Each structure stands twice: as C-alpha cells, then as structure tokens.
Amino acid sequence: MALPELATPQAPASVRTPAPTHRTRATTLPEVRWAALAALAFLAALPLDLAGAPAWLLGPLYAICYAAGGWEPACAGLQALRERSLDVDLLMVVAALGAAAIGQYLDGGLLIVIFAVSGALEALATRRTADSVRGLLDLAPATAVRLTAGDSAHEETVEAADLAVGDTVLVRPGERLPADGTVLRGTSDVDQASITGEPLPVPKAAGDTVFAGTLNGSGALRVRVDKDAADSVIARIVALVEEASATKAPTQLFVEKIEQRYSVGVVVATLALFGLPVALGADVTEALLRAMTFMIVASPCAVVLATMPPLLCAIATAGRHGVLVKSAVVMERLGAVDRVALDKTGTLTEGTPTVTAVHGDASALALAAAAELPSEHPLARAVVAEARARGLDIPEASAFDAEPGRGVRAVVGGREVRVRRAAGHHADTAVEVVVDGAVAAVLDLSDRLRDGAPEAVAALARLTGRAPTLLTGDNAGAAARIAAEAGIDDVRAGLLPHEKAEAVREWERAGARVLLVGDGVNDAPALAAAHTGIAMGRAGSDLALDTADAVVVRDELRAIPAVVALSRRARRLVVQNLWIAGVCIGALVVWDLAGHLPLPLGVAGHEGSTVLVGLNGLRLLRDAAWRRASPVVGGRSAGAHPVVGNRSAGAVPTRPDGADAGARGFRA
C-alpha cells in the first residue's frame, strides 16, 4: 500500500530548526546576586577609600561587601570544619575579618570579592550545562504518528516515549525523527548533523538506519522503531554528557591543592603564638597583637592574588580577541594540554558545501543552477551560488520536479535538465548535469576548509609536540581529504558520539591531557570527557557551547593555539608570583617569629607583596600579551613543521564495527 497522503506541507529539510532551550538567567542564581552586590559595594567604596573618606561613609559599604560576599564561603568553611576539615574559604573569611580589625578594609574586601565572583561564575557555568543537557532532549519530538498494525493507512498520534520496538511510524517532510529505526518505505534526505556531524543531508531509502532527533527532508518515510526512547542515540548522548561531567576528576587551581595544609598551619601557628606566651605569663594584649600580625602577614591574600590576576587578565585578553574562557581553572588547564583532537564539520571546515570543480561543459553550470534554483537543498544552494559567483546568467526553468534522494528535473530553454548524484565519488559529493539525456558536466561539491586551518594545526603541533588527531562522524573519504588539506595524519572517521568520547577517554587513561575542539551535539560527550574542551561559537550547538570550557566566538581557528600559548604564559606568571609571595610571606613570618615585627611594618610588607604580584599579573591585560602568544600561528605553513608530514590519507580507520559512515548521497 502506498504511503498515506501528506496532510500539510512542512518546513524544508534545509531549515535546521533549533531545539528549544531552557536557559537559566544569571540573575536567578543566588550566588550571582550576592557576588554582584558584594562587587558593587566594593566598587562604590574603593574611590571613596582612596580619596580618604571618613569611616562613617565607608563602613556601611564595606559591611555590605563583607556580608554579601562572605557569608556563603563562611558557611562552606564552617560546614567543612564540622566535617573535620579546614579549607581556604574559612581562612579567607578569617583573614578578611582580621584585615578589617586592624583597619585594612580595602584588602579584606578585595579578597571577599575575588572569592565571591569566582564562585558565582562556577555556579552559572554548572547550571547552564545542566540546562543544555535538558534542552537536548527536545531534539526528539514529543509525539509521533504511529501506523496501526494491520492497517497502515490508519494513523494515531502517540507520545514518542510510548513507542515500542517494532512499531511503525510515519515521518512527514520537515519533521524530526521520533525514534532510532530502519526505513521500511519511502525516500528522503535526512539532516543528521546533530548525531554524526555530516555537513550534508544523507539520502535515506528502504533498509537505511535513521536516528531520533534528526531532521527529515522533502520525502515521507515509514520507519520501523528499533530502539526504545531510553536507548536512542540522542538519549545516550545525554547520559554520556551527564556521566562525564559527574565523573571528571575535580580540578583546582594550584594554590587550592595545598589549601588544607596551609590553612591548618596558619591557624595552628596563630593559636600557638597567642596561647603559649599567655600560658607562660606574657601580656595578653601584646600576645594578641603578635598573633594578629602573624595571621595578617601569613594570610593567603598575596597567594590568592598571585594566582588569580594573571589568569583573570588572560581571560580578559582572550575575550577581547574572540575567545571566551569560562573560569580561571580552565585558563590554567589550557596551558597543560599535550594532545589535541579536532572535529571536522563546523570546526576544521565551514560546515556548508561549495562547488570545488566543474568537469566537462562549463556552460552546463548555468543550466544546473536554473534547475536547482527552486530547490531548498544545501547542494542546490551551493550550485546556484557558484553560478552567480562566476557571473553566469541563470535562465528560467519550468516543469520543476524533485525526486527525494535522487535529484531534480526541469526544463530550461526547451531542454530537459537533470541534476543527480554521480556514482563512484567518495571523498567529495559529486553531481551529474544531464542535458537531454547526455551527461554534460560533473560538479564536485565539498565542505570547505576554514581559513587558517593548516596554520592552526601546525601551531598546535608545535605547542604540544604532537600533531592533532581528526575525530569525525563523516565518511572516511571526506575525512581523508580534509585531513590532507589541513596537515593531519591521524584520522578517525565514521565515529558516533560515544565513540568520540571513548577515544578521548582512552588517551586520558594513557596519561594524556586532551584538548577537544568541536561544535555539535555529537561532540558534547567528548567535550565533557576531555581535559579541556573548546567549542566553535557561531555554529555551535547550545549543548556544545555549554559543555565546553571555552568558546571561540568568531570561529577563528588561529585563536585556539594562541589561547593555549597565552595560558602557558599565564601559568609562568603564576609561578613567578608564587615565588614572590612565598619569599615575602616567609621573610615577614620569620621576622615576626624570630624578632619583633611592628604591626604597621608587617601590614606594609604584606600589602607591598600583594600589590607587586597583582601588578605582575596585570601585564597580561595588554594587547602585547596576545601578540606574543599569536606568533605561533602566524606566517608559517603547516607543511613546514617536522611533526606534520608524510600524510597517508588513504589509511583512514572507520568505526570499530567496520562500517563506513560515508555512503553520502545526493538528493535535490
């Protein structure tokens, strides 16, 4: 029996309907509101303090700053204390209060604001990732049209979650597939970029596999459901992202790795400096002053500022040049990567097809463009765009007819013109232009490499000492061609999302610190599993953007090695600052313990070291810092680097099951 008639025309397959998202507004998070209040109060007090305003004016502002930004770290520190643990949160609050007790309100307020803002950014990033994971489920439609067993002409609308293995569903043009399954009848082209990353819609006919959440093209499909909703590929992506995010080892700044011992040491020493002299009969006031001096000079202000300003300044500089790094921890981690994996479609390439060559009669391009002009397919738009770019006049066509999965037919100037897929092409998509029954030309179409891709690949190889790897869901031939153009030897093609993530985990288990660069939903599990993930911002899916640790806003590939180099410079400045802070704190502590350090001199020494490390970190705010990081990608070709060479594009691995994801076809 024929497929049921279509009720109403649907959106064309080339229109990629974004999944609805449920994004938490920053202002709804209490951490953000408290941090904002603390920062505003501090910024209001700062110029007044520097101008010598009276205490009655400064006091309320600093009180708001301390209370708004300090109550959550204080609660966290007290909770840790109840669990017999002492962390830097509590020590930070104590140090800030100690600074305020001796009149150093500015220093204590700055410390409070740094911790509050860092906590707010972390809370926002965590919530946004959770929002995107939930929104991913909306890729699959909520309902489906099920054909009743025994009467394929009878339809019923059911919840997609209620579909059972063996059910038959009808998918009309422009609709998303409700389940993973096999095509029983019908032909169409399906945009499955959200799953495999393939840049072009893939022809589907009887016997072909389709995935839930992918977008049907211009034909109607009857599909047998092969998997329950909970076992679909899109559901597995959600599970993989959640699992990777939950199990990834907690990351900390360097200074936080020693916070427990440092905090305990300062507290024990402070109590000893006060308690022992008092027990031996010393004056209580003098002992308290000495202990307070010790706590001030040993407080983590300089250490925190040794770490945070270089990283925060590097974040600001990267942001001005189109790279959004989500936290100081991420900026620190970027400099530690020693292996890079790149997605293909939308990352190394632009993600849209273009005509790369015309074989045969060049005038046939104008006829092909005329026949394709009414079509909405991405390949049709590429043919039309190429004809216009060459300045060709596109004649009018009549009797237009599109055959889903096969091509188009039209009459142009009294001649019958067909544009259909050409057989025997694997690395590119090729179409034949058939005029009055004879092949007049063959057009090669392919995804175009991004500008600067070879230079970026070579720069990443120089930074890590190892050429990047290409991980893609696209077919082996297309992957090999793009890899050869970009200067990549190691290519893994035909990978599903969980296979990309497993490749990353395999490297991580071997001790590598992997940087994964991607843009799509299918990259999200690997982005979550990697040591550090970077998403391409313009075409990136919401899930990829929120799962990634950093975002390249302008899709400029050269910015990726530049931000890695900037991170490494920031890490070097952190080490410098820690030495400066350590030497200054050590000298003041020894002076206080071995002799008599006057409180004003101790405060001056402490403030001097804090200012010094802060100014050292501010060097990364200058544009020169980005220029010093950028030369690694400028003026060199990918082939000039010894790490990138001897490409064997033919030896391209496919999926572990031996399947080639590359049966790429053409439809109109």
Side-chain angles (χ1 to χ4, degrees):
M1 182 177 289
L3 283 170
E5 293 294 322
L6 305 183
T8 55
Q10 304 292 325
S14 61
V15 180
R16 297 188 178 186
T17 306
T21 56
H22 311 281
R23 296 181 67 83
T24 299
R25 292 189 176 184
T27 53
T28 64
L29 296 179
E31 296 91 343
V32 172
R33 294 198 298 267
W34 288 117
L37 180 57
L40 289 174
F42 178 80
L43 292 175
L46 179 61
L48 297 175
D49 197 345
L50 297 177
W56 63 265
L57 183 58
L58 294 174
L61 293 173
Y62 279 126
I64 293 173
C65 172
Y66 279 58
W71 77 268
E72 283 191 317
C75 291
L78 291 174
Q79 178 62 33
L81 199 59
R82 282 195 292 268
E83 297 171 358
R84 298 183 179 181
S85 175
L86 186 64
D87 61 22
V88 78
D89 284 345
L90 187 58
L91 188 60
M92 178 274 298
V93 173
V94 173
L97 293 176
I102 60 172
Q104 301 299 318
Y105 305 109
L106 178 61
D107 299 327
L110 178 59
L111 195 57
I112 289 284
V113 169
I114 287 176
F115 271 76
V117 172
S118 298
L121 291 176
E122 181 180 356
L124 181 60
T126 301
R127 184 64 65 87
R128 285 286 173 82
T129 300
D131 290 343
S132 291
V133 171
R134 289 194 300 271
L136 178 60
L137 294 173
D138 292 329
L139 279 175
T143 60
V145 176
R146 182 167 61 189
L147 302 180
T148 304
D151 184 4
S152 60
H154 181 69
E155 306 173 8
E156 60 177 348
T157 300
V158 298
E159 296 291 327
D162 294 336
L163 292 174
V165 174
D167 284 348
T168 300
V169 296
L170 174 65
V171 185
R172 293 187 169 92
E175 294 181 344
R176 290 191 178 271
L177 276 294
D180 288 7
T182 301
V183 177
L184 297 177
R185 188 180 299 178
T187 58
S188 186
D189 46 282
V190 176
D191 180 355
Q192 52 189 38
S194 60
I195 302 297
T196 66
E198 293 177 278
L200 306 176
V202 179
K204 297 292 182 180
D208 289 338
T209 299
V210 291
F211 303 108
T214 55
L215 187 64
N216 186 27
S218 55
L221 296 175
R222 185 184 298 178
V223 177
R224 182 187 68 237
V225 176
D226 292 340
K227 294 180 181 179
D228 291 329
D231 297 326
S232 68
V233 172
I234 203 74
R236 292 179 65 187
I237 292 176
V238 173
L240 285 168
V241 172
E242 291 177 334
E243 179 184 357
S245 299
T247 58
K248 183 187 286 188
T251 53
Q252 295 174 299
L253 295 174
F254 172 79
V255 69
E256 293 175 348
K257 296 177 182 178
I258 58 172
E259 68 175 41
Q260 179 70 23
R261 294 178 181 176
Y262 185 84
S263 301
V264 171
V266 171
V267 171
V268 170
T270 301
L271 293 176
L273 280 175
F274 174 69
L276 288 179
V278 171
L280 296 175
D283 181 70
V284 174
T285 302
E286 184 178 346
L288 180 60
L289 186 60
R290 187 185 186 109
M292 182 65 70
T293 302
F294 173 84
M295 188 185 71
I296 293 299
V297 299
S299 71
C301 299
V303 177
V304 170
L305 290 177
T307 305
M308 294 300 290
L311 298 173
L312 294 177
C313 291
I315 289 173
T317 298
R320 291 202 310 271
H321 293 86
V323 184
L324 301 182
V325 181
K326 294 185 178 180
S327 72
V329 172
V330 172
M331 180 55 77
E332 185 187 46
R333 285 206 314 257
L334 274 168
V337 299
D338 54 19
R339 181 160 198 154
V340 179
L342 302 167
D343 171 52
K344 183 183 79 70
T345 306
T347 301
L348 272 180
T349 67
E350 295 178 351
T352 55
T354 57
V355 176
T356 56
V358 178
H359 307 284
D361 185 359
S363 64
L365 178 62
L367 297 177
E372 292 279 27
L373 190 60
S375 175
E376 82 291 341
H377 194 275
L379 292 181
R381 293 200 299 271
V383 172
V384 173
E386 181 65 17
R388 287 172 173 165
R390 296 189 180 203
L392 301 179
D393 291 328
I394 302 177
E396 282 201 27
S398 61
F400 171 81
D401 182 38
E403 301 178 60
R406 296 180 181 176
V408 299
R409 178 179 57 191
V411 175
V412 183
R415 308 171 71 183
E416 183 187 59
V417 178
R418 291 176 178 264
V419 184
R420 66 192 183 194
R421 183 190 177 195
H425 291 255
H426 303 289
D428 302 288
T429 295
V431 297
E432 295 176 338
V433 183
V434 181
V435 181
D436 291 332
V439 177
V442 176
L443 312 180
D444 288 340
L445 299 100
S446 63
D447 199 1
R448 184 165 54 192
L449 198 68
R450 287 192 186 277
D451 290 340
E455 292 85 355
V457 167
L460 289 168
R462 285 191 291 272
L463 285 167
T464 62
R466 179 184 318 187
T469 298
L470 183 63
L471 298 181
T472 179
D474 207 349
N475 68 76
R481 181 185 63 80
I482 289 296
E485 291 181 17
I488 296 176
D489 294 335
D490 187 6
V491 182
R492 304 191 184 189
L495 302 180
L496 290 174
H498 70 276
E499 293 168 333
K500 285 188 177 184
E502 182 54 36
V504 171
R505 290 193 188 96
E506 180 183 343
W507 292 326
E508 296 271 349
R509 286 193 293 266
R513 292 179 290 256
V514 181
L515 168 62
L516 192 286
V517 186
D519 72 303
V521 167
N522 58 313
D523 298 316
L527 286 167
H531 178 268
T532 311
I534 295 180
M536 307 300 285
R538 284 184 175 173
S541 68
D542 283 343
L543 185 65
L545 296 179
D546 288 334
T547 303
D549 301 301
V551 177
V552 181
V553 177
R554 294 191 288 267
D555 287 358
E556 174 57 66
L557 279 174
R558 293 186 184 92
I560 296 173
V563 76
V564 172
L566 182 66
S567 171
R568 294 189 173 184
R569 189 174 177 213
R571 287 163 62 92
R572 289 194 295 270
L573 282 184
V574 168
V575 173
Q576 291 177 14
N577 282 349
L578 288 174
W579 273 105
I580 294 171
V583 168
C584 291
I585 290 175
L588 294 172
V589 166
V590 170
W591 189 349
D592 187 51
L593 294 177
H596 176 68
L597 176 62
L599 180 58
L601 189 56
V603 171
H606 176 265
E607 297 310 309
S609 65
T610 301
V611 171
L612 184 59
V613 298
L615 292 175
N616 194 36
L618 291 176
R619 293 161 54 195
L620 290 184
L621 275 178
R622 299 179 299 178
D623 283 338
W626 185 261
R627 289 197 299 271
R628 289 184 61 181
S630 298
V632 297
V633 298
R636 303 183 188 180
S637 65
H641 188 258
V643 176
V644 183
N646 299 322
R647 297 186 276 275
S648 54
V652 180
T654 56
R655 285 168 36 187
D657 59 7
D660 186 329
R664 182 84 61 80
F666 171 72
R667 83 88 256 55

